[in-house]
Amino acid sequence: GAGVSQSPSNKVTEKGKDVELRCDPISGHTALYWYRQSLGQGLEFLIYFQGNSAPDKSGLPSDRFSAERTGGSVSTLTIQRTQQEDSAVYLCASSLGANGNYGYTFGSGTRLTVV
Amino acid sequence: AQSVTQLGSHVSVSEGALVLLRCNYSSSVPPYLFWYVQYPNQGLQLLLKYTTGATLVKGINGFEAEFKKSETSFHLTKPSAHMSDAAEYFCAVSLSPISGGYNKLIFGAGTRLAVHP
């Protein structure tokens, strides 16, 4: 597609439920990233994919968080047993490659609210 | 390890005044530097980037930034603010490929720019 697409744009869930957040990167972008933006905070790195592999998942805050990418394209971030502190905007980005010369293209994010 | 410090979480300027958003970085290897802008309820949009070459880089919407290695700074400026510039601005650093790093961006905490008439 023309840009990075994220769905849903908003998600309200009850504490303890599982949620799945989806990211469709730009076609041909091999690198994909997930970030979390909490209220009044900067962007916190979660995980990086190159193709379907995740060479860097050092930012995942706990084992309740997992992510996968299939076909070198769509990625899903799953949060199990959600907690109120998981409330944030989850941003996905993709880039043409892993070279630092490439900038990221960001999606509009999924705003997650845990009640 | 890389890090980014943005001085001032909030900056307020008058329309037509100079915009100066400060960014200092820490990196043990030559960095790539970026500025992104985020409008309300939107994702981040790349304003400009420095990789190699000329240290003064120009971006979209009249913004520019200068890489000063001796000061480890990459401040963002615009000569004359417009109301439409009101947004949040993020400075970011990534490793250059010389070090073998991949394109992982480390972001600063952001600076919210307000422009008043």
Side-chain angles (χ1 to χ4, degrees), chain B residues 1-116:
Chain B
Q2 297 75 35
S3 66
V4 177
T5 302
Q6 291 184 240
L7 298 176
S9 58
H10 291 80
V11 170
S12 181
V13 300
S14 299
E15 192 173 19
L18 171 73
V19 175
L20 171 60
L21 304 182
R22 299 178 186 274
C23 173
N24 288 87
Y25 69 91
S26 169
S27 178
S28 58
V29 297
Y32 285 178
L33 296 160
F34 304 80
W35 276 99
Y36 283 82
V37 61
Q38 185 179 33
Y39 298 101
N41 299 315
Q42 294 186 26
L44 278 71
Q45 178 183 4
L46 180 65
L47 268 180
L48 49 79
K49 65 180 179 181
Y50 167 77
T51 54
T52 58
T55 55
L56 180 63
V57 293
K58 297 184 184 297
I60 61 172
N61 301 338
F63 284 94
E64 62 183 36
E66 186 172 10
F67 170 55
K68 293 187 176 180
K69 183 178 179 180
S70 61
E71 299 177 9
T72 61
S73 69
F74 191 57
H75 301 331
L76 182 70
T77 61
K78 182 174 180 178
S80 177
H82 295 159
M83 298 294 290
S84 60
D85 294 327
E88 188 149 23
Y89 293 80
F90 292 91
C91 182
V93 62
S94 77
L95 290 172
S96 69
I98 294 174
S99 66
Y102 72 89
N103 190 19
K104 174 181 177 177
L105 287 184
I106 306 298
F107 287 86
T111 297
R112 186 169 299 277
L113 176 66
V115 182
H116 51 86

Side-chain angles (χ1 to χ4, degrees), chain A:
Chain A
V4 177
S5 177
Q6 291 188 247
S7 61
S9 55
N10 282 282
K11 176 71 176 179
V12 180
T13 190
E14 293 181 352
K15 178 181 174 181
K17 300 282 190 181
D18 297 352
V19 294
E20 285 189 352
L21 312 180
R22 176 187 170 102
C23 173
D24 279 278
I26 291 174
S27 178
H29 279 197
T30 61
L32 185 147
Y33 315 82
W34 283 98
Y35 283 80
R36 178 168 71 175
Q37 185 177 24
S38 303
L39 188 63
Q41 304 291 316
L43 277 76
E44 175 188 8
F45 168 80
L46 297 178
I47 189 169
Y48 154 63
F49 285 94
Q50 180 59 41
N52 293 335
S53 305
D56 187 352
K57 54 180 75 172
S58 62
L60 294 178
S62 75
D63 59 7
R64 296 187 296 105
F65 288 72
S66 63
E68 65 173 10
R69 189 179 184 195
T70 57
S73 180
V74 172
S75 177
T76 302
L77 177 68
T78 301
I79 309 173
Q80 296 178 309
R81 304 181 303 281
T82 52
Q83 303 295 313
Q84 288 187 330
E85 60 263 28
D86 300 334
S87 296
V89 176
Y90 290 82
L91 291 166
C92 174
S94 67
S95 65
L96 195 55
N99 185 305
N101 189 40
Y102 300 112
Y104 290 10
T105 301
F106 279 87
S108 298
T110 294
R111 182 176 299 276
L112 175 66
T113 304
V114 182
V115 298

